[in-house]
Amino acid sequence: MKKFPHSPRFIGFVAASIDGRISLTKNKLPNCTSEEDWKFFQNSMKRFDAFVVGRNTYDSAAKRLQRRNTYVLSSRPKSMEENGNVKFVNPSRVNLKKLFSKYKNVAVLGGAGIYRLMAEKKLLDELYVTIEPLVFGRGREMFSGGTKTIELQLLSAKKLNKTGTLLLHYQVLH
Ligand SMILES: NC(=O)c1ccc[n+]([C@@H]2O[C@H](COP(=O)([O-])OP(=O)(O)OC[C@H]3O[C@@H](n4cnc5c(N)ncnc54)[C@H](OP(=O)(O)O)[C@@H]3O)[C@@H](O)[C@H]2O)c1
């Protein structure tokens, strides 16, 4: 694979039910994450200089994401279209590794196909998975699509509150 002068650290964040669901709907932010996880997530965002989301996730949090340097992955643009801080990028037409090479830390915020796409392109180095003590039995899966098995190594596990929200930190093994 071609090397670019800088290689950012790509770090994914996902909050899921214990049955691995990230949302009950396509276009709304999940309101089932704990206060402790929300704080962790907000604090973590401070160190990132770019943010990657799928189009549905962007639609669910457009107001917040418009204030950040956000890249929205979508099959709609011919290559890349810019609207203020937000760039709409077609990943089959744009070299993502090159596109992000100017950044230090890139946050990968999902949804389901985006974690998978970034991991398969080797653009996911670490993953924080928050497991909320809930069972949805329906809704969006954490990872979807793709054909490869992604291997990870657990770096740490932390209990965030009394109900047992777990914060798992993984390294992705490339
Ligand atoms: N709990 C969590 O941590 C968490 C994290 C993220 C999102 N969410 C929630 O999950 C829901 C959205 O997730 P989602 O999985 O439905 O959608 P998503 O991944 O945010 O967006 C899906 C869209 O992204 C684009 N896309 C995905 N893979 C692509 C590829 N390989 N090439 C080109 N475009 C690609 C496509 O847009 P086009 O149709 O424009 O081509 C696709 O329709 C929302 O409710 C959101 O709030 C929860």
Side-chain angles (χ1 to χ4, degrees), residues 13-16 21-30 33 53-58 60 73-76 89-92 109-115 117 140-141 144:
F13 292 83
V14 60
R21 306 295 171 133
I22 62 169
S23 182
L24 291 175
T25 59
K26 210 170 74 166
N27 297 107
K28 275 194 193 148
L29 271 185
T33 52
V53 291
R55 193 177 48 80
N56 293 346
T57 300
Y58 176 72
S60 75
L73 304 188
S74 164
S75 58
R76 294 179 184 186
V89 178
N90 185 333
S92 56
L109 304 182
I114 300 307
Y115 300 121
L117 173 79
R140 300 294 295 153
E141 290 161 353
S144 72

Side-chain angles (χ1 to χ4, degrees), residues 8-11 122-127 170-172 174:
R9 198 88 189 137
F10 291 92
I11 304 182
K122 300 197 187 307
L123 301 176
L124 192 64
D125 301 302
E126 294 171 43
L127 183 64
Y170 291 95
Q171 181 182 349
V172 179
H174 292 301

